[in-house]
Amino acid sequence: RKEVEQDPGPFNVPEGATVAFNCTYSNSASQSFFWYRQDCRKEPKLLMSVYSSGNEDGRFTAQLNRASQYISLLIRDSKLSDSATYLCAVNDFGNEKLTFGTGTRLTIIP
Amino acid sequence: NAGVMQNPRHLVRRRGQEARLRCSPMKGHSHVYWYRQLPEEGLKFMVYLQKENIIDESGMPKERFSAEFPKEGPSILRIQQVVRGDSAAYFCASSLNTGEFYEQYFGPGTRLTVT
């Protein structure tokens, strides 16, 4: 089983719709969780850190479910500019390296 | 508001040559990480450094790869005797501290092509 798993997609979603992705992790000792977006041939850009209580930033909401070992990202009122690959990243207690999923590709359709 | 800087952005090397990739962290950041992204694959951790120290090199190939972060100047990822399989995007990231959330910010990457 991979340490961090994501549905690769692609997700093709009409503009204005709501879309959600999950990301599962295998190590119950994982401590910190992040969502990044990566545009084609660009660097990953930090979208959100995922807090235990969940957090929201505008149209984006991130949740953590420790019992089931997954994090989620919800995008409301999707825009064309949201088209990208979304990467989840996890690091473990006492270990600073990030382990990334392979990403979920999202395309917003006009 | 300089972010993480990497150079060169593109690097072409012939098999057997050396590649040197440079990374300057964000201002005030003292933790540097190198990741590699092979075509159609995810990002893989290579090495984590602080000034003059390698903290975690568990993701570095055992041969030909080395990294440093000197007291002065950028962090350097060095690949000796490159092979075609080294062709990839190499990203550097930096973080401020080791608090609860190790938020890492990435540079634009160096795309290495080995011919």
Side-chain angles (χ1 to χ4, degrees):
Chain A
R1 184 182 172 187
K2 289 183 182 176
E3 289 182 73
V4 180
E5 289 199 74
Q6 295 183 252
D7 181 343
F11 284 60
N12 298 314
V13 172
E15 193 175 4
T18 296
V19 61
F21 320 126
N22 282 347
C23 166
T24 58
Y25 59 94
S26 61
N27 187 351
S28 59
S30 294
Q31 179 184 19
S32 303
F33 309 88
F34 307 91
W35 283 104
Y36 286 80
R37 69 169 279 166
Q38 186 174 28
D39 294 287
C40 189
R41 300 186 66 78
K42 299 285 191 180
E43 74 272 25
K45 291 191 188 300
L46 181 64
L47 187 62
M48 301 177 81
S49 302
V50 187
Y51 305 129
S52 295
S53 55
N55 47 309
E56 187 173 312
D57 183 3
R59 298 181 294 108
F60 298 84
T61 300
Q63 297 280 353
L64 167 63
N65 185 317
R66 283 196 184 273
S68 300
Q69 294 184 205
Y70 74 86
I71 61 172
S72 63
L73 178 68
L74 180 81
I75 307 174
R76 288 180 298 277
D77 187 25
S78 52
K79 313 287 185 194
L80 295 176
S81 57
D82 295 333
S83 297
T85 296
Y86 289 83
L87 306 170
C88 69
V90 173
N91 77 351
D92 302 332
F93 181 75
N95 187 343
E96 294 213 24
K97 69 179 185 183
L98 289 176
T99 301
F100 282 85
T102 51
T104 297
R105 185 172 293 179
L106 172 67
T107 301
I108 304 301
I109 303 165
Chain B
N1 183 23
V4 179
M5 293 193 289
Q6 290 186 250
N7 66 81
R9 298 287 299 276
H10 299 275
L11 183 61
V12 179
R13 285 286 178 265
R14 285 197 292 270
R15 276 181 299 170
Q17 291 185 318
E18 179 180 288
R20 279 183 174 243
L21 288 59
R22 287 177 290 279
C23 168
S24 296
M26 284 178 74
K27 188 175 180 180
H29 286 193
S30 59
H31 302 254
V32 166
Y33 314 81
W34 286 93
Y35 294 84
R36 176 166 66 175
Q37 189 170 37
L38 292 164
E40 303 303 322
E41 290 191 21
L43 280 152
K44 303 289 186 193
F45 168 80
M46 299 182 76
V47 62
Y48 160 42
L49 310 102
Q50 296 180 24
K51 284 283 188 184
E52 300 185 279
N53 283 302
I54 296 174
I55 308 301
D56 180 357
E57 56 182 346
S58 58
M60 288 279 268
K62 293 285 184 272
E63 297 176 348
R64 303 187 297 108
F65 285 72
S66 62
E68 63 176 7
F69 189 15
K71 188 176 179 182
E72 301 291 337
S75 175
I76 306 284
L77 179 68
R78 183 180 176 211
I79 312 172
Q80 295 178 289
Q81 299 174 328
V82 295
V83 301
R84 289 228 171 96
D86 297 333
S87 295
Y90 292 82
F91 291 100
C92 169
S94 71
S95 70
L96 178 61
N97 58 31
T98 59
E100 183 179 353
F101 293 95
Y102 308 91
E103 294 185 346
Q104 296 181 20
Y105 298 89
F106 283 79
T110 295
R111 296 194 178 274
L112 172 66
T113 302
V114 179
T115 62

